[in-house]
């Protein structure tokens, strides 16, 4: 599976961005998808994941929404109410199977990162 993330950029606090991750190579619907982020000097963390159910980190609940369009082989991360602490490089990843995966080691494929910068 090849993953291509896009949609990052610079936005003011309180603004919104939508990240997209286009997948190719295998049956997209058979994979759980996740969005991770890594801020400077910090470990990479799971932000949201989707399979038959969804998962959100506490820090983004109520602000971020993960969704997928299997017909377009694409997963999205709608980010509203952005805060400066959301600034990071965001990565999409794919994990085989239908259960939501919450550990980085469970993900088999990774896209390149897309930078999200939120100014105060």
């Amino acid at each position: 599976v090849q993953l291509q993330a896009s949609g990052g950029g610079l936005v003011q606090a309180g603004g919104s961005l939508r990240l997209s991750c286009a997948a190719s190579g295998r049956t997209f619907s058979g994979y759980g998808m996740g969005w991770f982020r890594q801020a400077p000097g910090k470990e990479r963390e799971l932000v949201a994941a989707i399979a038959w159910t969804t998962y959100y980190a506490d820090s983004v609940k109520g602000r971020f929404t993960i969704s997928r369009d299997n017909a377009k082989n694409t997963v999205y991360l709608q980010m509203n109410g952005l805060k400066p602490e959301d600034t990071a490089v965001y990565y999409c990843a794919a994990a085989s199977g239908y259960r939501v995966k919450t550990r980085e080691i469970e993900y088999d494929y990774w896209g390149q990162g897309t930078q999200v910068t939120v100014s105060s």
Side-chain angles (χ1 to χ4, degrees), residues 71-86:
K72 295 183 177 180
N73 286 358
T74 302
V75 63
Y76 304 97
L77 185 68
Q78 178 66 43
M79 305 185 295
N80 299 328
L82 283 162
K83 303 176 181 180
E85 51 263 44
D86 295 318

Side-chain angles (χ1 to χ4, degrees), residues 11-60:
V11 64
Q12 289 188 335
S16 298
L17 283 174
R18 188 176 80 156
L19 305 183
S20 300
C21 177
S24 61
R26 293 199 177 182
T27 305
F28 177 72
S29 61
Y31 287 84
M33 302 297 295
W35 283 100
F36 290 77
R37 69 185 180 187
Q38 187 168 23
K42 294 187 177 181
E43 293 186 352
R44 189 157 56 185
E45 63 174 350
L46 178 64
V47 173
I50 186 168
W52 287 115
T53 57
T54 56
Y55 164 88
Y56 294 95
D58 287 343
S59 58
V60 306

Side-chain angles (χ1 to χ4, degrees), residues 9 14 17 37 49 65 104 108 110 119:
L17 283 174
R37 69 185 180 187
T65 303
E104 185 174 334
D108 305 302
W110 292 82
S119 63

